[in-house]
Amino acid sequence: MKRLEKDIERLVHNKILGLISPEEEAMLEAWLNMSDKHRDSLKEMEDTALLAQRYKHYASIDNEKAWEEFTKKTGIEHTPLHTHSKSIRKKTFFKYAAIFALIIVGASILWYLQYTKVTAPEISPEVKLAMQQSRESGKTYAKIEKLSANVFPQSNEGTIVEGEETLSSTSQSNVGNSEDGKNVAEQDAQISSMGITAMTKEQLLNACRITTRHDKEFWLTLDDGTLVHMNYNTRLIYPEQFGRSDRNVILDGEAYFMVARDKSRPFIVHTPQGSVKVYGTEFVVNTKATENGNWKTEDNKDTSSFHTSVVLVKGSVSVTPTHGKEHMMNPGQLARINAQKSQFDVENVDVTPFVSWNTGVLVFENCTLEHLMNSLKKWYGIKHVYYKDSSIQQLHFTGNLKRYGSIDRILQAIMLSCNVIIEQNGEDIIIHQ
């Protein structure tokens, strides 16, 4: 990566001074085509370095004419050439030429520092409040462990000793099985089979794996300042320190990403269905979405119907399905990837129902009562939901529910909306009309 950065610096420098060769021009053009941001950065640099063109002009003509032209352009008092010694004229000319060269070098340094600048995301008051409410309600909890080297068997590194750290003051046992029945070993095998490059695997070799339970969530700040809000039953693999070329994480579950802006290092979220590439933005990735865009629940048995969904809140991202082509997204769009069925589509949506959970609100639009209760039961520790009549399961609910606090208020809202009676019996719920 260091060599790549130096090569780009050299190409930009040669481009501005007009010293670039055709081969170098092609290399620079390839770099510019990688991102519009690269072209914007070069344009800023060229605007700042317009003085370079004057310097090239002065250097291309003979010294006698250069001195005359130079004094006219700069406004320096001009004295007839015959009154100056040749050595004085040369010294004066090259002194100012050196000043122009310093300006160009300074502009180059300024451009490079701006290009590699990392800007942490701005956290809204709503998100800060949700973080506080989550902690106060005991919902903030995760398990973190060192990633075993056998996840990436192609590496030559030795096995990392696994350790465990609980990211919560609450003492609870951690389970090794995920919501969909896969244990950690099976999940690691799935990760190993993903289309991740050898370089990325090398970066993630000394990584951590953080996991939330079925009734917990967690906010994680990464090395670059990126904030990740992990929903329940979610795993994230991330390096303790990102590399110099890009920033890679692996997601299984649902997470809201507030990515730190870094023009020189794209942020890439790898999933079993494909990858999401960004430079600084906010978006949601759900690797267990169903056809209606909701989180997988127990009423969804056919795993082939699950897909990875990406909802872009602001900024711009690209989505690349496994073995597919890269697709750009705009804010307010939802992308669905189903690698098993070789399907990919993008549509404009109201992002609110997909992202509201990030600020502590659950939004449901015309969903069945069965799906609603299956979404709530794990989060609120309900074991079973019994319906006195099967037709009750098909009643529809639309409304906003607060994610934190007692379930009693939520049940009251459901009873009023669906015109049903809900009774609690310990960890069980009974619904009838």
Side-chain angles (χ1 to χ4, degrees):
M1 178 57 193
K2 289 183 179 179
R3 181 172 181 179
L4 175 60
E5 292 177 351
K6 290 185 179 296
D7 287 343
I8 296 301
E9 288 181 59
R10 176 177 55 81
L11 294 178
V12 171
H13 178 269
N14 290 349
K15 170 72 172 177
I16 292 174
L17 294 182
L19 303 176
I20 193 167
S21 67
E23 293 78 11
E24 291 176 330
E25 185 82 42
M27 292 173 59
L28 181 60
E29 187 65 25
W31 178 76
L32 293 173
N33 289 334
M34 293 173 59
S35 170
D36 290 339
K37 298 181 178 62
H38 291 178
R39 291 189 177 278
D40 293 340
S41 298
L42 179 59
K43 181 64 168 60
E44 294 174 7
M45 181 61 181
E46 289 176 330
D47 291 341
T48 307
L50 284 176
L51 293 174
Q53 296 180 1
R54 297 182 184 178
Y55 172 71
K56 288 189 297 179
H57 175 69
Y58 303 142
S60 64
I61 59 181
D62 63 80
N63 290 341
E64 296 294 325
K65 289 185 178 180
W67 171 250
E68 183 178 358
E69 182 71 14
F70 187 74
T71 55
K72 289 180 181 179
K73 294 287 186 180
T74 59
I76 299 172
E77 183 179 356
H78 177 65
T79 306
L81 292 176
H82 65 270
T83 63
H84 291 270
S85 69
K86 190 173 182 180
S87 61
I88 293 177
R89 294 198 301 271
K90 285 186 177 180
K91 287 181 180 179
T92 305
F93 172 74
F94 285 112
K95 178 181 73 173
Y96 285 97
I99 292 174
F100 281 111
L102 287 175
I103 293 174
I104 296 169
V105 172
S108 300
I109 295 173
L110 181 62
W111 171 83
Y112 181 72
L113 291 176
Q114 185 66 28
Y115 178 70
T116 57
K117 180 181 178 181
V118 179
T119 305
E122 183 177 349
I123 310 304
S124 68
E126 293 79 9
V127 171
K128 292 179 180 178
L129 178 60
M131 296 171 71
Q132 177 183 342
Q133 292 176 334
S134 178
R135 288 193 298 267
E136 292 174 351
S137 62
K139 289 295 185 180
T140 303
Y141 180 86
K143 168 189 172 184
I144 185 171
E145 57 193 341
K146 283 290 187 179
L147 187 64
S148 174
N150 60 17
V151 176
F152 302 117
Q154 295 179 0
S155 173
N156 296 322
E157 297 286 340
T159 301
I160 300 173
V161 178
E162 291 197 14
E164 179 178 320
E165 176 186 353
T166 300
L167 298 179
S168 171
S169 57
T170 307
S171 59
Q172 299 186 36
S173 61
N174 291 288
V175 295
N177 291 332
S178 66
E179 184 81 8
D180 56 6
K182 293 181 181 178
N183 59 37
V184 172
E186 291 173 335
Q187 291 172 331
D188 287 347
Q190 182 185 45
I191 292 172
S192 180
S193 64
M194 290 167 55
I196 301 176
T197 65
M199 181 180 295
T200 299
K201 289 183 178 182
E202 190 69 25
Q203 291 178 15
L204 293 174
L205 185 64
N206 296 307
C208 296
R209 172 174 50 214
I210 183 169
T211 308
T212 55
R213 291 166 54 93
H214 62 267
D215 58 348
K216 303 294 179 183
E217 63 184 343
F218 197 78
W219 278 269
L220 176 69
T221 301
L222 301 178
D223 167 60
D224 62 339
T226 292
L227 182 63
V228 184
H229 182 187
M230 300 172 60
N231 206 348
Y232 58 84
N233 192 41
T234 294
R235 276 193 327 148
L236 184 75
I237 293 176
Y238 65 97
E240 294 178 313
Q241 184 173 5
F242 287 118
R244 297 180 61 86
S245 58
D246 48 26
R247 298 167 288 170
N248 294 276
V249 299
I250 298 175
L251 176 70
D252 179 27
E254 184 174 31
Y256 190 107
F257 291 86
M258 289 161 273
V259 179
R261 184 176 179 82
D262 186 345
K263 294 181 180 179
S264 63
R265 295 184 302 170
F267 190 96
I268 304 174
V269 181
H270 301 273
T271 78
Q273 307 259 14
S275 62
V276 184
K277 184 177 182 180
V278 302
Y279 287 86
T281 185
E282 293 188 18
F283 59 99
V284 175
V285 180
N286 182 355
T287 68
K288 298 178 182 177
T290 57
E291 291 304 320
N292 60 8
N294 295 311
W295 179 270
K296 173 188 108 54
T297 59
E298 292 182 351
D299 56 327
N300 305 118
K301 303 299 183 181
D302 181 14
T303 58
S304 65
S305 67
F306 304 155
H307 62 263
T308 291
S309 70
V310 181
V311 179
L312 180 57
V313 180
K314 62 182 181 180
S316 63
V317 305
S318 68
V319 179
T320 306
T322 304
H323 308 304
K325 296 181 179 180
E326 184 177 21
H327 302 266
M328 296 302 299
M329 290 183 63
N330 296 316
Q333 289 188 329
L334 162 68
R336 297 184 181 90
I337 311 171
N338 190 323
Q340 288 181 288
K341 297 182 179 180
S342 300
Q343 294 176 344
F344 177 85
D345 63 87
V346 179
E347 65 175 307
N348 296 320
V349 296
D350 175 10
V351 302
T352 304
F354 300 94
V355 305
S356 59
W357 63 271
N358 183 52
T359 53
V361 180
L362 300 175
V363 177
F364 295 93
E365 293 185 354
N366 198 34
C367 73
T368 65
L369 184 58
E370 180 184 25
H371 177 82
L372 172 63
M373 296 309 300
N374 282 334
S375 299
L376 297 175
K377 61 186 294 189
K378 292 293 185 180
W379 183 252
Y380 290 99
I382 301 169
K383 279 193 174 181
H384 302 288
V385 178
Y386 298 101
Y387 303 89
K388 286 295 184 68
D389 191 316
S390 59
S391 62
I392 298 176
Q393 297 172 256
Q394 302 307 314
L395 294 175
H396 284 72
F397 175 85
T398 296
N400 299 350
L401 304 173
K402 291 188 176 180
R403 186 175 171 91
Y404 308 114
S406 172
I407 192 177
D408 295 336
R409 292 184 179 180
I410 290 180
L411 296 181
Q412 287 290 336
I414 295 173
M415 285 192 289
L416 290 174
S417 177
C418 296
N419 193 26
V420 296
I421 298 174
I422 301 178
E423 300 177 354
Q424 284 186 268
N425 183 12
E427 294 180 331
D428 297 337
I429 282 183
I430 303 171
I431 304 178
H432 59 88
Q433 288 181 313

